[in-house]
């Protein structure tokens, strides 16, 4: 246990400044500073506001994480950071901090994929990921079904949204209902007191000829908005709780149905759900029911690990160290559209399949690292 | 004393080491789109050139802008994090002051002058100087057409870009960390108070408060 890698992870792909520290698959610290309140009045994340907040929050958040974990920076085995995908300017703040920190401490740097991190975080909750694992990632920024046989090297996209992310649909419907931003938690709350069968909202891309694992929430969004507007136009009260419950049911019905189908088709008996929408209580319940019926083991991390955080980045970084993956170079860049198939960004000197084990020394700067 | 100076507020990605007496190593590369990639290798390069390790540094100096935000933050975040990891102070310096210092040195401008950098969107960041060490105005962002600098000499890319406003535009075009380091070393030696390493954005974030949600029902 003590020889498991101790890694600090930095996440700044959107509006959360996250710094996490893990030892192997054990969570030691999960420090977060969020700028969500600054975005609320805009009804969505404003990239420049998020980037400014990351710069201010970074050093205090690193300090908080170290204190929480009770470890010294000198003892770290590596620094990992979200290299993408995400908001370009926001990512760049985290990447700059991670590079400077790793360089100054003489530790290897691992630029990792945000989506793979969302999957890997479950190791902190439920132990090592089964291989393969099917993962349903749903948030304001992503809606994807991914299949991974090794989270450090093999993540295969099965399906994704063809229009809006699931979380975006929650935000939009919350706005139409005047419930504020972000929409996920408030819709969940109202839905608990509503009837999910009150209104039959459409299930996108569920026809026999539709892509089996892709998602579409744009049509649902429009249908719900139309329904509400029709009520208002007729001078009737909008039954907010029933609308919330019926809308939410339409989203989680499609998500869970497709995820379970993907597991069955691929013969995978584990499903993990991550991303901010995984905090949705109805999604958790319905997924549990359907997985049980299908003989699939469901793994959903606690809500705080589902939303963006630094611990997930540290978890994937620790796995990179444990499996001897190559570190990133000092000129690592933030890549706002880093493909999901790249779990990390190895340095160029290692990029062509030379598989020598990592020796904690970077090519460009042997002389400048602490011994 | 060993100061490491950085600046990413302009298209130049620049790093330098100063030992309290003189600049011992410096490196600059002009590439407005790759601040994030170029800065750490630049730091690594000046250290290697000087035969020193980062833990020999006793203070970090960083240009706080004004400058286009995305690039500007690379230098500030790097400086802040170095300061945290090394446990050394981080000093901020106005990027325009670095240019002014260089204007008085190599460019040999003695009297009053202006420093202007490119703020994009057809604007400049600028300030007036009495001499290379004395700034007279707070840094500002303006359209060059709305400025009247009375024909004073001017340095910086913003001056070179708009000859109508800056008829006597001169080099240097970009700030160098070497100038920032020298200026900081001078001020520290004189016991002057240094600025905090906080960004000079000078503009509010671009953010539109969405109007009431778009009605999707056809009328
Ligand atoms: Zn995410």
């Amino acid at each position: 246990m003590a020889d498991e890698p101790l890694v600090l992870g930095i996440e700044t792909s959107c509006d959360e400044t996250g710094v996490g520290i893990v030892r192997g698959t054990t969570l030691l610290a999960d420090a977060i500073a969020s700028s969500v309140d600054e975005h609320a009045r805009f009804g969505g994340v404003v990239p420049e506001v998020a980037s400014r907040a990351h710069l201010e929050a970074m050093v205090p958040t690193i300090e908080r994480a170290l204190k929480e974990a009770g470890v010294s920076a000198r003892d770290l085995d590596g620094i990992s950071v979200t290299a993408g995908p995400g908001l370009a300017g926001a990512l760049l703040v985290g990447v700059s901090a991670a590079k400077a920190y790793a360089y100054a401490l003489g530790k290897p740097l691992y630029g990792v994929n945000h989506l793979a991190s969302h999957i890997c975080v479950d190791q902190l909750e439920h132990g090592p990921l089964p291989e393969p694992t099917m993962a349903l990632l749903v948030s304001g920024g992503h809606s994807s079904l991914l299949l991974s046989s090794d989270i450090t090297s093999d993540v295969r996209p099965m399906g994704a949204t063809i229009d809006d992310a699931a979380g975006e649909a929650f935000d939009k419907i919350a706005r139409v209902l005047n419930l504020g931003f972000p929409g996920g938690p408030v819709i969940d709350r109202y839905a608990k007191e509503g009837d999910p069968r009150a209104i039959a909202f459409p299930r996108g891309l569920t026809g026999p000829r539709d892509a089996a694992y892709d998602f579409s929430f744009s049509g649902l969004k429009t249908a719900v908005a139309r329904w509400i507007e029709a009520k208002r136009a007729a001078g009737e009260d909008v039954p907010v709780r029933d609308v919330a419950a019926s809308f939410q049911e339409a989203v989680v019905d499609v998500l869970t149905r497709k995820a379970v189908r993907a597991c069955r088709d691929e013969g995978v008996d584990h499903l993990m759900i991550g991303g901010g929408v995984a905090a949705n209580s109805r999604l958790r319940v319905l997924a549990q029911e359907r997985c049980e019926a299908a003989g699939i083991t469901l793994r959903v991390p606690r809500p705080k690990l589902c939303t963006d955080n630094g611990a997930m980045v540290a978890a994937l970084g620790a796995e990179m160290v444990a499996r001897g993956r190559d570190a990133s170079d000092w000129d690592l860049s933030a890549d706002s559209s880093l493909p999901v198939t790249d779990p990390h960004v190895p340095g160029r000197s290692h990029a062509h399949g030379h598989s020598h084990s990592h020796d904690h020394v970077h090519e460009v700067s042997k002389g400048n690292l602490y011994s | 004393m060993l100061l490491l100076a950085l600046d990413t507020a302009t298209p130049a990605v620049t790093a330098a080491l100063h030992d309290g007496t003189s600049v011992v190593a410096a490196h600059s590369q002009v590439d407005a789109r790759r601040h994030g990639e170029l800065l750490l290798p630049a730091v690594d390069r000046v250290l290697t050139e000087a035969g020193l390790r980062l833990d020999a540094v006793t203070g970090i100096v960083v240009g706080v802008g004004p400058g286009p935000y995305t690039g500007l933050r690379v230098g500030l975040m790097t400086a802040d994090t170095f300061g945290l990891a090394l446990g050394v102070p981080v000093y901020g310096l106005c990027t325009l002051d670095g240019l002014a210092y260089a204007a008085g040195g190599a460019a040999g401008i003695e009297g009053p002058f202006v420093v202007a950098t490119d703020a994009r969107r057809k604007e400049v960041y600028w300030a007036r100087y009495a001499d290379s060490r004395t700034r007279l105005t707070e840094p500002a962002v303006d359209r060059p057409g709305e400025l009247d600098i009375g024909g004073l000499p001017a340095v910086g890319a913003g001056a070179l870009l708009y000859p109508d406003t800056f008829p006597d535009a001169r080099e240097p075009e970009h700030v160098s960390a070497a100038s920032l380091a020298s200026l900081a070393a001078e001020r520290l030696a004189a016991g002057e108070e240094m600025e905090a390493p906080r960004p000079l954005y000078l503009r509010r974030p671009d953010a539109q408060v969405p109007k009431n949600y778009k009605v999707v029902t056809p009328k």
Side-chain angles (χ1 to χ4, degrees), chain A residues 41-44 46-49 51-52 54-56 58-59 62-63 66 88-90 92-101 103-105 172 175-178 221-222 225-230 232 330-334 364-371, chain B residues 33-41 43-49 51-56 69-86 197-199 201-218:
Chain A
R41 68 196 173 100
F42 301 111
V46 180
E48 177 59 21
V49 171
S51 299
R52 291 186 182 191
H54 287 314
L55 174 63
E56 300 307 318
M58 182 59 66
V59 165
I62 294 175
E63 286 176 320
L66 287 169
L92 188 54
V93 179
V95 168
S96 299
K99 286 203 281 193
Y101 207 47
Y103 185 87
L105 295 169
K172 163 81 179 191
R175 200 186 310 158
V176 178
L177 291 170
N178 300 314
K221 222 172 59 177
T222 308
R226 277 203 179 127
W227 194 93
I228 294 166
E229 284 163 15
R232 285 181 182 151
W330 293 125
D331 66 353
L332 172 71
S333 55
V364 284
S365 63
K366 292 185 175 88
N368 295 307
L369 297 177
Y370 293 176
S371 44
Chain B
R33 305 189 59 82
R34 295 174 64 222
H35 290 94
E37 288 153 64
L38 298 175
L39 183 60
L40 233 291
V43 169
D44 189 57
R45 189 168 161 157
V46 294
L47 285 165
T48 304
E49 210 172 284
L52 294 165
R53 300 191 326 179
L54 188 62
D55 60 354
Y69 334 129
T70 303
L72 172 63
R73 278 188 289 264
V74 170
L76 284 160
M77 190 72 266
T78 301
D80 269 1
T81 315
F82 278 162
L84 169 71
L86 302 172
R198 303 278 42 104
Y201 292 120
L202 303 193
R203 291 184 183 125
R204 303 176 72 80
D206 292 320
Q208 298 287 320
V209 181
K211 307 209 169 47
N212 288 335
Y213 78 92
K214 212 166 101 236
V215 174
V216 289
T217 312

Side-chain angles (χ1 to χ4, degrees), chain A residues 114-115 117-122 125-126 134-145 165-168 170-171 183-185 188 192 215 217 248 251-252 255-256 259 271-288 298-309 312:
Chain A
H114 180 79
L115 298 175
S117 300
H118 266 306
I119 301 174
C120 196
V121 75
D122 192 49
E125 192 86 299
H126 299 111
M134 188 68 68
L136 171 66
L137 296 188
V138 272
S139 74
H142 15 271
S143 307
S144 332
L145 257 177
E168 269 180 90
F170 276 87
D171 288 340
D188 195 357
K192 282 194 176 115
F215 305 105
F217 299 106
Q248 175 176 281
V251 174
V252 305
L255 290 174
T256 53
L271 171 67
M272 82 78 56
I273 305 185
V277 178
N280 182 275
S281 63
R282 180 60 187 152
L283 175 62
R284 295 170 94 101
V285 168
L286 190 60
Q288 188 59 51
L298 177 68
R299 296 170 47 130
V300 191
R302 78 196 80 153
K304 196 180 175 224
L305 294 179
C306 286
T307 48
D308 292 348
N309 62 80
M312 68 190 212

Side-chain angles (χ1 to χ4, degrees), chain B residues 5-218:
Chain B
L6 317 168
D7 193 292
T8 58
T10 74
V13 179
T14 175
L17 284 170
H18 195 291
D19 66 5
T21 310
S22 61
V23 173
V24 290
H27 179 72
S28 292
Q29 192 170 342
V30 176
D31 188 336
R33 305 189 59 82
R34 295 174 64 222
H35 290 94
E37 288 153 64
L38 298 175
L39 183 60
L40 233 291
V43 169
D44 189 57
R45 189 168 161 157
V46 294
L47 285 165
T48 304
E49 210 172 284
L52 294 165
R53 300 191 326 179
L54 188 62
D55 60 354
V57 166
T58 59
I60 314 284
V61 178
V62 62
V64 299
Y69 334 129
T70 303
L72 172 63
R73 278 188 289 264
V74 170
L76 284 160
M77 190 72 266
T78 301
D80 269 1
T81 315
F82 278 162
L84 169 71
L86 302 172
V88 300
V90 183
Y91 309 111
L93 269 186
C94 175
T95 297
L96 302 180
D97 291 358
L99 265 159
Y101 189 85
I109 305 177
E110 280 172 14
F113 64 97
V114 167
V115 174
T117 60
D118 183 10
R120 302 191 192 152
R121 301 184 209 168
K122 297 182 178 149
E123 292 185 318
V124 292
Y125 298 117
W126 71 286
R128 284 177 198 272
Y129 288 79
D131 58 55
S132 63
R133 291 174 181 79
T134 317
R135 177 153 43 81
L136 297 172
T137 59
E138 286 301 309
V141 59
D142 285 296
R143 289 184 168 271
E146 288 161 10
L147 297 181
D148 180 7
I149 61 150
L152 285 177
V155 301
L160 294 159
L161 210 55
Y162 300 103
D164 290 349
T165 306
F166 306 100
D168 188 8
R170 306 183 193 179
E171 301 278 337
E173 184 177 5
H174 297 294
V175 71
S176 74
S179 305
L180 281 172
S182 303
L183 177 59
E186 236 183 74
R187 288 194 183 166
L188 284 168
E192 284 179 43
E193 199 155 312
M194 304 293 282
E195 294 162 45
R198 303 278 42 104
L200 283 176
Y201 292 120
L202 303 193
R203 291 184 183 125
R204 303 176 72 80
D206 292 320
Q208 298 287 320
V209 181
K211 307 209 169 47
N212 288 335
Y213 78 92
K214 212 166 101 236
V215 174
V216 289
T217 312

